[in-house]
Structure formats: C-alpha cells, structure tokens
C-alpha cells in the first residue's frame, strides 16, 4: 500500500457520512437485512432495494411498516423521504416488510417469490392471531404449511418433529393431550395432500 498504511479488512462497515443512513428491515421469514440509503431516499427506493434482494418483481402488493412512538403499526408513505418519516414518527429505524394489499385469488400472483411471501404473511397472521380461523381451518392450514415447509409425507419419516414446529395460533391455549391429538390430525392432513 502507498505510504505504508495497513488497513484491516472487515465485513462490517459504518456509514459516517451525513448524506447516508442505515436502516434494518425485518423480513417475513424473521431475518433482518440492512439497507444503506441516502437521506433523500424515499420509502419506494427502500422497498425496491428489499424487493431486489428477495428477487420480487410484483412489488405493488407489498409495503414497509414501522412501530410508531406510541407502539402502533404504521405504513411507510412510499413517496416521502424515508429518513425524515422515521425520525418524525418511528421509535427506532427498524422497518418491517409485509403484504399491504391482498388479492382475492392467489392465481393473480404471477411470480413464485410473490406467492411465497404471501404464504409467509398469512402463516404469520394465523399464528399471531390476527387472522381468525376455526379449529378445522387451523388444522387444514397447518397440514398445508407442514407440506410446504417439509415436503410430501413419507411413511418412513418420523412425525416427532411436528411437536417442535409451531402449528397453532398463540392465543389457542391447549392442554398437552389435546395438542397431541391436533398434531396427529395435522400429520393426517399432510398425508392426504401427497
């Protein structure tokens, strides 16, 4: 190196410029990514950066939201500068990626990546109790979710992993015996969808 300087290589970096800021975005699979933006960047630019990382082309169904200072979920106004919006209303510079507009029929979704993000959103909404379902619907959805996440049923595979996998909404308080019975019904539901 010129002038005898020795610089260490690191995987982390800090943005010290007043023209840039870093925001974190929690995705639907609960992973967190960081996005470096200019202070003039809009919410739409941030959404497009997230969509690029997720390889999504159908971005018009999705949005970014944050927790306000009063702990209320609030959607980012995509046409406004994101930094000013977060500084004014957000508790911290953490954004959440999510489905903003639902379609009446999933066949309208052209891209597999879009359908997968929809799946993650609906699964999360059911498990967190924001989307109410009957017990029969919960069992059917859980069976389909297990098949989507783990593949077709195989008679030689143990179904013990289902006990560790979150299948039912958090607000559904179940006794151990009832939970075991419902888990077996989920396994049967998965078996029916080979």
């Amino acid at each position: 190196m010129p002038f005898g300087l020795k610089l260490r290589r690191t995987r982390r970096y800090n943005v010290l410029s007043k023209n840039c800021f870093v925001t974190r975005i929690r995705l639907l699979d609960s992973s967190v990514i960081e996005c470096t933006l200019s202070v003039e960047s809009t919410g739409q630019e941030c959404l497009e950066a997230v969509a690029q990382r997720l390889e999504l082309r159908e971005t018009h169904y999705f949005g970014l939201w944050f927790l306000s200072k009063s702990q209320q979920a609030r959607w980012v106004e995509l046409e406004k500068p994101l930094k000013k919006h977060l500084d004014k209303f957000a508790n911290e510079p953490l954004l959440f990626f999510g489905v903003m507009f639902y379609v009446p029929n999933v066949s309208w979704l052209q891209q597999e990546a879009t359908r997968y993000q929809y799946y993650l959103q609906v699964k999360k909404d059911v498990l967190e109790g924001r989307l109410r379902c009957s017990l029969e619907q919960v069992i059917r959805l859980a069976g389909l979710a297990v098949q989507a996440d783990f593949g077709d049923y195989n008679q030689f595979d143990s179904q013990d992993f289902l006990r560790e996998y979150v299948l039912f909404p958090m607000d559904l308080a179940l006794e151990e015996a009832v939970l075991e019975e419902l888990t077996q019904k989920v396994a049967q539901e998965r078996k029916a969808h080979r």
Side-chain angles (χ1 to χ4, degrees):
M1 294 215 73
F3 308 111
L5 295 175
K6 292 183 181 179
L7 302 173
R8 290 185 306 156
R9 287 187 176 182
T10 62
R11 294 181 182 257
R12 308 255 332 143
Y13 61 91
N14 292 325
V15 178
L16 298 175
S17 171
K18 292 182 179 181
N19 297 330
C20 295
F21 75 104
V22 176
T23 187
R24 295 172 310 161
I25 300 108
R26 184 173 307 277
L27 303 176
L28 290 169
D29 64 0
S30 298
S31 64
V32 176
I33 61 172
E34 287 185 346
C35 199
T36 304
L37 302 164
S38 75
V39 292
E40 293 88 23
S41 294
T42 62
Q44 183 66 39
E45 291 173 52
C46 184
L47 179 61
E48 287 170 3
V50 172
Q52 184 178 10
R53 289 192 190 178
L54 294 174
E55 299 178 5
L56 280 175
R57 289 187 308 271
E58 298 174 283
T59 58
H60 47 278
Y61 298 119
F62 300 96
L64 299 168
W65 60 275
F66 59 91
L67 288 175
S68 69
K69 293 177 180 173
S70 60
Q71 298 302 307
Q72 297 294 318
R74 184 172 173 160
W75 289 101
V76 170
E77 294 180 34
L78 297 177
E79 66 281 350
K80 292 190 176 180
L82 184 61
K83 182 160 179 24
K84 287 181 183 177
H85 200 66
L86 291 177
D87 288 346
K88 186 174 182 180
F89 299 110
N91 204 20
E92 60 177 317
L94 174 65
L95 296 171
F96 298 86
F97 175 77
V99 174
M100 193 171 189
F101 301 108
Y102 287 93
V103 293
N105 188 339
V106 291
S107 65
W108 292 7
L109 304 175
Q110 302 296 311
Q111 190 185 12
E112 181 67 29
T114 306
R115 287 190 292 272
Y116 179 68
Q117 294 301 321
Y118 260 72
Y119 159 72
L120 291 175
Q121 181 73 62
V122 170
K123 179 180 170 185
K124 184 177 182 175
D125 288 349
V126 168
L127 293 177
E128 292 177 358
R130 286 192 297 270
L131 192 58
R132 300 280 179 196
C133 302
S134 68
L135 197 54
E136 293 79 23
Q137 290 171 324
V138 168
I139 291 168
R140 180 159 168 73
L141 289 172
L144 291 170
V146 169
Q147 183 182 9
D149 290 344
F150 299 103
D152 282 343
Y153 173 82
N154 183 341
Q155 66 183 5
F156 302 109
D157 287 344
S158 169
Q159 299 300 309
D160 292 339
F161 73 93
L162 290 177
R163 290 185 186 92
E164 305 301 318
Y165 188 69
V166 179
L167 296 168
F168 306 108
M170 289 187 280
D171 60 351
L172 195 62
L174 300 171
E175 295 176 14
E176 192 63 34
V178 174
L179 184 61
E180 184 64 34
E181 179 186 338
L182 292 177
T183 302
Q184 290 305 316
K185 287 183 179 181
V186 168
Q188 292 301 316
E189 185 71 30
R190 177 185 181 208
K191 189 176 182 179
H193 293 292
R194 283 184 78 177

